[in-house]
Amino acid sequence: MTFKSTLLSVLERILAPLLSPILTYLALKKMGILGMNQRNAEFIAQYNPRKFYPLVDDKLLTKNLAIKASIAVPELYAVIEIEHQVVHLEKMIAPYSSFVIKPAQGSGGDGIVVIVGRRGPNYKRSDGILMHADELKHHVSNILSGMYSLGGHPDKAMVEYRVEFDPLFREISYQGVPDIRVIVFKGYPVMSMVRLPTRLSSGKANLHQGAVGVGVNITNGETHFGVWQNHVVEHHTDTGNPISGLQIPDWERLLTISASCYELTGLGYIGVDLVLDRDKGPLMLELNARPGLAIQIANRTGLAPRLALIKKRCAQQKESIQSRVAFVQKTFVHQPLW
Amino acid sequence: MNTKRHLLMLVGILILIGMWIFFYKVKILDLPLSPYGVSQVWTIESKIDFDATTGRSAKVEFFIPPTQAHFHRLDENFVSRNYGVTTDLAVDNRLSIWTIRHAPKTSQTLYYRAQFYFDEAFQGPNLSNRGITGRYLYTGAERAAQQTIISNARQQSVDSLSFATNVVKNLNNPDDGNAAILLNRDYSNANIAITAAKLLKGPTVEEGPNIISRLVYGFTLSETEVALQDIPLQIYLGIYDTEHGWRYIDPNSARVGLPPYFLIWRYGDQTPILGVEGGRNEQLTFSAIKREVNTLNVAQEEALQDHSILMTYSLFNLPIHTQEVYQVLIMVPLGALIILLLRSFVGIRTFGTFMPVLIALAFRKTHLLDGIILFTLIVSLGLTVRFYLEQLKLLLIPRLSAVLSTVIILMILLSLFSNQLDFQTGLSVALFPMVILTMIIERMSIVWEERNAWEAILQGIGSLFAAAIAYLAMSNLYMEHLFFVFPELLLVIIAIMLLLGCYHGYRLSELIRFRELIKKHDI
């Protein structure tokens, strides 16, 4: 070994731990991965005016806006606004055998109870556990007191249609309702994923809570690989079934619904959460003004270049919803990083 | 883009103002950068005793120390009952004049007190080139002696300084008959110095060496001794040339230069330092006491003497109690900066944005390790209670109130126990902000239930870690000193915060989070 090569190897040993974060940083930058700071500063702070936040933070408001704009949403059965109404809960939900109770200002799917049927005075939850009417009332009281709302503000409870989810995802879901998250920037759907509940997420379709995120080709609605707890996965963690190669039906309609949510709220950078109903097709569930970044791992693609492209396009022209969707389907051809 | 330039300008202005005031205070007002600096401060007292005639007027003229190199005068005062005191500037000297119209009794005592601190770097004012005036013409044998000594010195010297030292050396030689004649056998320092001064000037302009010279009176403040009594005045011979300014010669050893810590009392000739009109038996004694004072206090006093507007509006002029409050508050922005760094650069998750700063403030009283133990103890006990209350199906606000009350009871119990066990820091548990603790317990239990236990513990540890880092920065003695003495540094902190706000890059935690993308990518 020559002196030079020894020197180089020694240098490499010393420099490697120092360099590796820098190299990682540069590699991520090159791949166009959007970081938290950049998302907050350049997209959320710039395109999401605070005054529009209540429109998405309050799901009741979002739902009413969507209905007005004739965007398909799960039907609203009842709203409980004050503690006094809780007594009448049973009467209000009497006509429905299955329904969902959720806080209007909840976050991350917290406080949602899905009832699939009745056993006398008891209600059967989607996970099979029976809930007594009193327990249900207590839960509604908790919602009203603000237990699940951001900042603990007093809240409203919504009772709505329980989505009969499309059998497409049955094999790769553990209880709960899988939903589809679409990032919409200035009315252009830029990236999407399917979120599959797992045992760890206790049936919730939230990546933070342990759901699996599956990247979806935005041009045609075909699923590929997934992300679970920031790790790349090919199979559902509970059922073991492969998650790639599924075709989501009604994809173009789903994109159109997502794209039209921009006009609904005026927020430039949002995450649109949709579900696939067996009979009613895609329904818009809620909007998120601070959508997460794990979608990039699920798609193995960075958001930044797509956002930059849209930014440029918006500066040049204003487009209709249809042509926006068409542009996206034509442009964002799926090219995963590996 | 425009906002970016705006921001950079704001940052620039903030840093400029902050640093300008900071440097002004450091360079001009001499405020110390370190909290440990100690300055030596001497309190000099001269006591004048004399006998006056009762009911008659008296006037005392007394030289007092002029502004000089290496010594800063902090304070001076004249203690003299019923006397009017004025001070005059007189060619490099300062003269104080005490006057009274009707001396109340025979024995009179006047005091002059001044405080000086030693500062090697202080240059002092420019001195005039005024030497002793008047020439002294010797006659007869003295004239011959004068000529011999001068011609001897001339032969042995190259410039005015070596000439003067040779004159002094010759005068000091007890075997030299010429010197004995000129000195009249009085070999005291004072006599040698004044004789040398006469010789250096020469009898006439045409003949004499024409070296400007004068006497310097003063005494050496001992570096080692703390108290000096009855200090005798020492005399040095000063000679002047335009190239070097004033240089001093010891009339005894002919050594050049004043000894270190030499406080000059007066420049001049052989006339006495104290003159009393309308009195007799005057006596003058000097004493000095040395003490070590925090450099900060010295600099403050000095700046106040100069009536610096910055010091008039300094935090030090607030009442002590308010100062103590600000001593804590002024560190909060630093803590916030640390949290900002930890959150948007490292990506540590904490409960609430600035909650760790509040915990860090509590740590100041409990100290770090004890603080962490107490915090963990209370939060985990509180969590247990919170989970128990959860089963009772209470509404949010009653439950929060109950947890808050429980937290306070837990704190009382902890204090009582630690008092019994003689565990002093346990008592300081009361300093934790209990409402904050309650909120942490509530937030933590919600995260615990809705995410998972691991996430809750992770965020708890993150909060504690952030608090510990913030505490270490905020309780650093140098930091405390810097921010309290130079609150303008807060402007710089704001500028840094604004600059950090421009960082849109990845957090350290994101490098780990998205690592998987790269690993697969490379393979």
Side-chain angles (χ1 to χ4, degrees):
Chain A
M1 213 194 274
T2 63
F3 172 73
K4 201 174 162 189
S5 67
T6 321
L7 189 75
L8 278 177
S9 74
V10 168
L11 260 181
E12 197 186 318
R13 272 227 192 129
I14 299 167
L15 287 180
L18 290 171
L19 273 178
S20 94
I22 299 171
L23 291 177
T24 311
Y25 188 104
L26 293 176
L28 290 176
K29 198 94 214 161
K30 200 173 147 214
M31 287 158 68
I33 301 292
L34 187 68
M36 196 72 93
N37 289 332
Q38 195 184 3
R39 181 201 73 172
N40 290 348
E42 292 173 25
F43 295 97
I44 293 183
Q46 217 159 320
Y47 294 100
N48 290 358
R50 271 232 99 91
K51 58 176 175 180
F52 295 140
Y53 273 38
L55 300 183
V56 295
D57 287 343
D58 189 336
K59 293 182 186 90
L60 196 59
L61 269 178
T62 318
K63 197 184 269 288
N64 288 334
L65 282 174
I67 292 167
K68 239 185 256 168
S70 50
I71 290 171
V73 290
E75 190 191 338
L76 185 65
Y77 292 156
V79 178
I80 300 139
E81 290 182 54
I82 48 173
E83 191 68 34
H84 183 66
Q85 294 173 305
V86 177
V87 193
H88 310 295
L89 179 69
E90 279 178 283
K91 218 193 305 174
M92 290 162 117
I93 58 180
Y96 315 106
S97 63
S98 72
F99 52 87
V100 175
I101 296 180
K102 55 161 85 167
Q105 298 180 50
S107 65
D110 302 327
I112 297 178
V113 171
V114 182
I115 300 296
V116 293
R118 280 171 215 242
R119 301 280 182 282
N122 291 324
Y123 295 85
K124 191 182 170 200
R125 261 170 32 188
S126 58
D127 54 8
I129 294 169
L130 290 182
M131 263 182 116
H132 191 264
D134 287 343
E135 279 180 282
L136 210 56
K137 283 180 191 166
H138 174 72
H139 183 75
V140 172
S141 289
N142 270 347
I143 291 176
L144 297 188
S145 74
M147 182 165 172
Y148 303 102
S149 72
L150 293 163
H153 300 297
D155 201 359
K156 288 169 274 205
M158 298 158 62
V159 185
E160 61 176 30
Y161 167 74
R162 182 177 77 88
V163 175
E164 291 283 343
F165 70 92
D166 197 284
L168 180 69
F169 299 125
R170 183 170 296 150
E171 297 305 310
I172 50 169
S173 289
Y174 179 84
Q175 299 175 340
V177 181
D179 71 3
I180 299 163
R181 156 67 60 92
V182 183
I183 303 278
V184 178
F185 179 52
K186 303 283 279 176
Y188 293 84
V190 285
M191 204 174 273
S192 61
M193 69 171 165
V194 178
R195 301 189 294 186
L196 304 170
T198 61
R199 191 200 305 271
L200 181 68
S201 78
S202 50
K204 287 170 188 166
N206 195 312
L207 294 203
H208 289 301
Q209 285 157 303
V212 174
V214 184
V216 178
N217 186 343
I218 199 139
T219 55
N220 57 16
E222 197 179 314
T223 65
H224 36 103
F225 17 68
V227 55
W228 182 72
Q229 304 272 289
N230 287 334
H231 296 296
V232 173
V233 290
E234 315 263 332
H235 303 272
H236 189 267
T237 50
D238 296 318
T239 66
N241 294 319
I243 50 179
S244 56
L246 292 171
Q247 174 62 50
I248 298 172
D250 269 342
W251 183 246
E252 205 173 320
R253 208 171 120 211
L254 196 143
L255 285 185
T256 311
I257 292 177
S258 311
S260 56
C261 286
Y262 170 56
E263 273 83 5
L264 210 62
T265 56
L267 291 166
Y269 185 79
I270 47 172
V272 180
D273 292 346
L274 306 112
V275 278
L276 278 182
D277 191 81
R278 191 178 56 202
D279 312 314
K280 308 182 183 209
L283 301 175
M284 193 271 283
L285 269 189
E286 59 178 84
L287 303 176
N288 195 318
R290 298 175 202 82
L293 299 168
I295 196 168
Q296 300 177 103
I297 306 177
N299 279 282
R300 300 184 191 175
T301 307
L303 269 168
R306 294 190 179 186
L307 296 173
L309 192 72
I310 302 293
K311 213 187 260 185
K312 217 153 107 201
R313 190 170 175 86
C314 281
Q316 289 162 352
Q317 63 199 92
K318 259 192 138 73
E319 284 183 284
S320 71
I321 296 170
Q322 261 63 40
S323 68
R324 289 199 307 244
V325 170
F327 172 76
V328 163
Q329 287 193 298
K330 190 180 79 216
T331 315
F332 295 145
V333 178
H334 190 59
Q335 285 168 316
L337 291 163
W338 73 89
Chain B
M1 281 305 106
N2 212 357
T3 53
K4 195 139 219 169
R5 195 194 290 167
H6 183 158
L7 185 106
L8 284 178
M9 254 174 60
L10 182 64
V11 166
I13 290 170
L14 285 174
I15 289 183
L16 215 67
I17 296 176
M19 289 316 267
W20 181 76
I21 302 177
F22 175 72
F23 277 116
Y24 180 82
K25 280 181 164 178
V26 172
K27 287 284 162 206
I28 311 291
L29 299 184
D30 270 329
L31 294 182
L33 288 169
S34 150
Y36 299 115
V38 173
S39 289
Q40 295 176 339
V41 173
W42 280 278
T43 305
I44 317 283
E45 185 181 273
S46 48
K47 185 178 170 213
I48 302 164
D49 293 296
F50 66 96
D51 296 331
T53 316
T54 309
R56 301 289 283 278
S57 69
K59 180 180 177 189
V60 175
E61 286 187 334
F62 178 54
F63 283 99
I64 53 176
T67 309
Q68 56 192 287
H70 308 324
F71 285 99
H72 281 288
R73 189 175 53 240
L74 283 181
D75 188 21
E76 68 180 351
N77 47 56
F78 303 87
V79 185
S80 51
R81 193 181 296 173
N82 301 327
Y83 278 79
V85 183
T86 56
T87 55
D88 276 345
L89 289 173
V91 197
D92 300 335
N93 284 314
R94 289 167 75 231
L95 183 67
S96 67
I97 302 159
W98 276 276
T99 44
I100 192 164
R101 188 166 290 276
H102 305 291
K105 57 178 181 174
T106 313
S107 93
Q108 298 286 308
T109 306
L110 306 171
Y111 291 95
Y112 166 77
R113 249 184 233 127
Q115 291 194 18
F116 292 93
Y117 88 90
F118 186 75
D119 175 8
E120 191 76 55
F122 182 53
Q123 288 300 324
N126 288 326
L127 294 173
S128 74
N129 61 356
R130 286 274 292 277
I132 289 173
T133 51
R135 291 173 186 273
Y136 194 84
L137 265 167
Y138 291 103
T139 51
E142 288 179 334
R143 171 102 177 122
Q146 176 194 21
Q147 282 166 341
T148 315
I149 286 185
I150 287 180
S151 67
N152 276 351
R154 208 167 253 156
Q155 274 173 17
Q156 293 158 356
S157 65
V158 289
D159 56 5
S160 55
L161 183 69
S162 54
F163 182 86
T165 48
N166 274 311
V167 167
V168 171
K169 266 182 203 155
N170 279 329
L171 287 177
N172 265 304
N173 185 357
D175 302 331
D176 190 324
N178 294 318
I181 293 170
L182 287 177
L183 293 172
N184 207 7
R185 301 207 175 273
D186 174 4
Y187 285 97
S188 70
N189 282 351
N191 197 29
I192 291 176
I194 190 66
T195 309
K198 285 173 187 168
L199 293 176
L200 289 177
K201 187 129 192 184
T204 58
V205 181
E206 297 78 35
E207 193 180 332
N210 291 328
I211 295 171
I212 299 168
S213 68
R214 67 185 178 190
L215 306 188
V216 172
Y217 296 79
F219 46 81
T220 305
L221 294 164
S222 164
E223 197 185 357
T224 45
E225 271 174 89
V226 175
L228 299 166
Q229 296 289 337
D230 290 327
I231 314 166
L233 274 185
Q234 290 165 288
I235 296 174
Y236 282 81
L237 175 66
I239 63 158
Y240 180 87
D241 63 59
T242 42
E243 194 185 334
H244 299 98
W246 284 101
R247 284 183 293 182
Y248 301 97
I249 300 166
D250 185 339
N252 185 23
S253 64
R255 213 177 284 132
V256 178
L258 290 174
Y261 300 103
F262 187 81
L263 179 76
I264 294 168
W265 203 272
R266 181 217 170 175
Y267 305 99
D269 50 22
Q270 74 273 43
T271 55
I273 229 165
L274 171 70
V276 179
E277 267 177 49
R280 51 212 154 72
N281 298 336
E282 62 262 34
Q283 276 188 323
L284 176 61
T285 51
F286 295 101
S287 57
I289 295 175
K290 186 182 82 174
R291 61 199 165 98
E292 297 204 323
V293 176
N294 191 308
T295 310
L296 179 61
N297 299 344
V298 175
Q300 275 166 30
E301 268 185 59
E302 210 200 338
L304 276 174
Q305 290 250 313
D306 299 347
H307 300 288
S308 165
I309 189 128
L310 279 175
M311 290 314 281
T312 322
Y313 289 97
S314 115
L315 286 169
F316 289 103
N317 294 339
L318 294 174
I320 292 293
H321 183 71
T322 320
Q323 277 192 36
E324 278 169 9
V325 175
Y326 276 108
Q327 214 145 23
V328 176
L329 285 187
I330 212 147
M331 299 311 290
V332 169
L334 184 69
L337 180 67
I338 302 273
I339 303 298
L340 167 67
L341 282 172
L342 287 179
R343 281 178 73 102
S344 65
F345 284 80
V346 181
I348 283 178
R349 275 172 290 171
T350 59
F351 291 115
T353 316
F354 291 120
M355 200 231 23
V357 180
L358 296 172
I359 300 178
L361 285 181
F363 282 170
R364 286 169 61 95
K365 289 282 155 63
T366 58
H367 300 299
L368 193 55
L369 197 65
D370 298 331
I372 289 176
I373 293 170
L374 287 173
F375 177 86
T376 317
L377 207 62
I378 293 191
V379 169
S380 41
L381 287 174
L383 265 178
T384 319
V385 175
R386 162 70 174 70
F387 281 125
Y388 167 70
L389 288 176
E390 172 70 21
Q391 295 186 332
L392 301 180
K393 308 274 175 209
L394 294 168
L395 288 177
L396 176 77
I397 294 164
R399 188 183 58 224
L400 265 183
S401 318
V403 172
L404 173 64
S405 312
T406 317
V407 164
I408 291 174
I409 293 171
L410 285 173
M411 284 160 74
I412 294 172
L413 286 178
L414 260 177
S415 290
L416 290 177
F417 271 123
S418 53
N419 197 28
Q420 281 293 311
L421 297 172
D422 221 22
F423 171 60
Q424 281 302 314
T425 45
L427 296 173
S428 49
V429 71
L431 293 156
F432 276 114
M434 62 239 166
V435 176
I436 299 292
L437 279 177
T438 310
M439 293 312 287
I440 291 168
I441 290 166
E442 184 66 20
R443 292 275 293 271
M444 200 158 167
S445 66
I446 287 179
V447 173
W448 192 296
E449 267 175 31
E450 293 177 358
R451 307 276 186 267
N452 49 55
W454 176 237
E455 178 71 25
I457 291 169
L458 208 66
Q459 285 195 26
I461 291 173
S463 304
L464 264 185
F465 177 74
I469 301 279
Y471 161 78
L472 289 179
M474 289 161 73
S475 63
N476 183 294
L477 272 178
Y478 278 95
M479 288 293 174
E480 283 188 348
H481 171 84
L482 274 181
F483 280 98
F484 196 68
V485 179
F486 309 102
E488 59 276 3
L489 288 180
L490 290 186
L491 295 179
V492 180
I493 290 266
I494 295 175
I496 294 172
M497 287 169 171
L498 294 180
L499 267 185
L500 293 184
C502 292
Y503 177 75
H504 293 176
Y506 303 111
R507 300 169 181 178
L508 207 57
S509 62
E510 283 175 331
L511 296 184
I512 297 163
R513 183 184 177 189
F514 294 122
R515 193 183 41 194
E516 194 121 350
L517 285 173
I518 291 177
K519 251 196 242 157
K520 291 276 165 53
H521 190 42
D522 286 347
I523 297 162

